[in-house]
Amino acid sequence: MKCRICGKEAFVKLRSYNLALCEEHFVEFVRRRVEKAIKKFKMVSKEDHILVAVSGGKDSIVLWHVLNELGYRTTGYFLNLGIDEFSNKSQKIAEEFANRFSLELKVEYLRDVLGVGIPEIARISKGKPCSTCGMIKRYLINRAGLDYDAVATGHNLDDESSVLFGNILHWQVEYLERQSPILPRDRTLAKKVKPLVLLTNHEIKLYADVLGLPYIPDSCPFSTGATTHYYRDILNTLEERMPGTKIRFYMGFIENKKGFKVKEKELKPCERCGYLTTAGICSFCRLRERIKIQFNLR
Ligand code: SF4
Ligand code: ZN
Ligand code: ZN
């Protein structure tokens, strides 16, 4: 099997594109996919200062690496969720990466913000903290992102297509409408972009491994059994049988999305923090109040 670009021995065959590539041209392929997503969806420009949400996992590390290689101005943001070993290891990786490439990294500790970490929140949410954790991350990443032109997150094609699959399966039209590789700035909502949407999990992992980038291999101890994992497995089975299914499914949706227009809920400033919400008091402030009572915090 030869690389289609240079004719050297190929090390990977991307079945979705019927494309064999050597290591060097595979790295170039990944960067071109990111550049293509950025241009196609008009995500950011070279003048913008981008806050990259870094978790220490392969997706956000690859995202930060590629944006830097492409010449974008970036600062990393790491939120320490207080999940003991896991959070500390992830933080070390984010710091190691930032040092290696002389990049700025901002670190925020959930324990400083709320007085507790995810393990305590798991106790008050019957052991399943993921939806609360997701809400906390969205809130704090958004808050940090308001000082920048855009916030970039490492959502990839597998994440986006499995979420899409779930939303269609349950006809969650409201979520469908908001599912987009770019969300523009709206008052206290920072602009959000997902430059990895045209790349699969497998391609991203390969890029990190070929270049020897550091990333945390273990998943969060709370991550077992999420429904999206089933959807991901189903899509992987389809992809195996019909290469290119995921990208056609996702891009087909994005291109035909206008049909899913729903009446948007009105956003109003939260009575406590002032950030936009559909409720009187936003979920983050409600959680903060609940934690204060439950844990006797001031
Ligand atoms: Fe948070 Fe759940 Fe992800 Fe762990 S797996 S980081 S608890 S959302
Ligand atoms: Zn080549
Ligand atoms: Zn609030």
Side-chain angles (χ1 to χ4, degrees):
M1 199 170 58
K2 301 276 181 233
C3 169
R4 193 195 290 170
I5 315 287
C6 68
K8 269 195 247 157
E9 194 57 35
F11 98 115
V12 65
K13 168 131 196 224
L14 304 171
R15 289 178 62 214
S16 317
Y17 311 97
N18 196 19
L19 182 63
L21 294 169
C22 68
E23 286 192 0
E24 181 194 338
H25 288 113
F26 171 71
V27 166
E28 203 181 292
F29 163 85
V30 168
R31 292 180 189 162
R32 265 192 282 118
R33 294 298 280 171
V34 174
E35 189 87 86
K36 183 174 175 184
I38 291 175
K39 296 254 154 68
K40 186 173 175 60
F41 300 112
K42 299 186 178 63
M43 291 180 175
V44 284
S45 76
K46 291 272 161 76
E47 285 71 52
D48 287 341
H49 191 178
I50 308 161
L51 187 73
V52 183
V54 190
S55 67
K58 67 177 189 339
D59 300 300
S60 55
I61 288 288
V62 166
L63 170 65
W64 202 7
H65 186 264
V66 175
L67 289 178
N68 188 44
E69 289 294 313
L70 292 173
Y72 288 95
R73 190 150 70 102
T74 58
T75 291
Y77 170 79
F78 178 84
L79 174 63
N80 186 311
L81 296 164
I83 310 173
D84 311 318
E85 263 304 280
F86 174 73
S87 291
N88 296 338
K89 266 203 232 163
S90 309
Q91 183 173 336
K92 275 210 187 88
I93 285 179
E95 287 169 345
E96 184 191 324
F97 181 87
N99 284 339
R100 198 198 296 180
F101 295 96
S102 307
L103 293 161
E104 188 193 5
L105 176 70
K106 294 197 160 174
V107 177
E108 190 163 32
Y109 293 84
L110 186 59
R111 286 190 197 283
D112 290 345
V113 182
L114 285 179
V116 295
I118 294 297
E120 289 89 337
I121 291 172
R123 260 190 270 141
I124 60 168
S125 50
K126 301 190 183 79
K128 287 200 176 120
C130 290
S131 62
T132 309
C133 178
M135 179 273 289
I136 291 170
K137 284 191 279 194
R138 279 193 299 279
Y139 183 91
L140 293 175
I141 290 171
N142 177 70
R143 188 168 82 176
L146 286 169
D147 296 333
Y148 296 81
D149 297 298
V151 174
T153 55
H155 295 93
N156 64 35
L157 181 61
D158 291 65
D159 302 326
E160 292 300 294
S161 53
S162 54
V163 167
L164 174 62
F165 191 61
N167 285 342
I168 290 183
L169 215 53
H170 303 287
W171 287 113
Q172 285 170 311
V173 184
E174 240 172 77
Y175 291 135
L176 283 174
E177 226 252 305
R178 277 191 70 75
Q179 194 179 350
S180 170
I182 168 169
L183 290 171
R185 169 117 190 189
D186 179 8
R187 293 159 287 170
T188 58
L189 296 176
K191 179 178 179 181
K192 317 271 171 15
V193 297
K194 299 172 182 170
L196 298 186
V197 283
L198 302 181
L199 289 163
T200 61
N201 230 0
H202 174 64
E203 290 155 0
I204 291 166
K205 185 174 182 310
L206 221 50
Y207 180 91
D209 292 341
V210 163
L211 295 178
L213 301 178
Y215 63 88
I216 184 140
D218 15 336
S219 51
C220 165
F222 293 106
S223 80
T224 48
T227 330
T228 47
H229 291 181
Y230 297 127
Y231 301 153
R232 197 178 274 235
D233 291 346
I234 293 169
L235 287 168
N236 280 337
T237 309
L238 288 171
E239 183 75 33
E240 191 55 41
R241 290 270 183 97
M242 295 176 283
T245 296
K246 281 184 226 173
I247 190 81
R248 282 195 300 274
F249 177 53
Y250 181 67
M251 287 308 291
F253 165 70
I254 295 296
E255 276 152 21
N256 293 292
K257 197 167 164 243
K258 288 181 204 78
F260 289 102
K261 273 262 167 286
V262 288
K263 197 168 167 283
E264 276 193 54
K265 280 195 190 151
E266 201 197 330
L267 294 171
K268 282 182 292 195
C270 161
E271 289 164 23
R272 299 281 187 276
C273 70
Y275 288 100
L276 293 178
T277 174
T278 50
I281 300 174
C282 78
S283 327
F284 187 83
C285 290
R286 271 185 282 139
L287 174 72
R288 193 199 284 271
E289 285 172 13
R290 193 166 154 220
I291 286 173
K292 272 189 194 157
I293 297 167
Q294 293 258 355
F295 296 96
N296 254 328
L297 303 172
R298 279 195 300 128

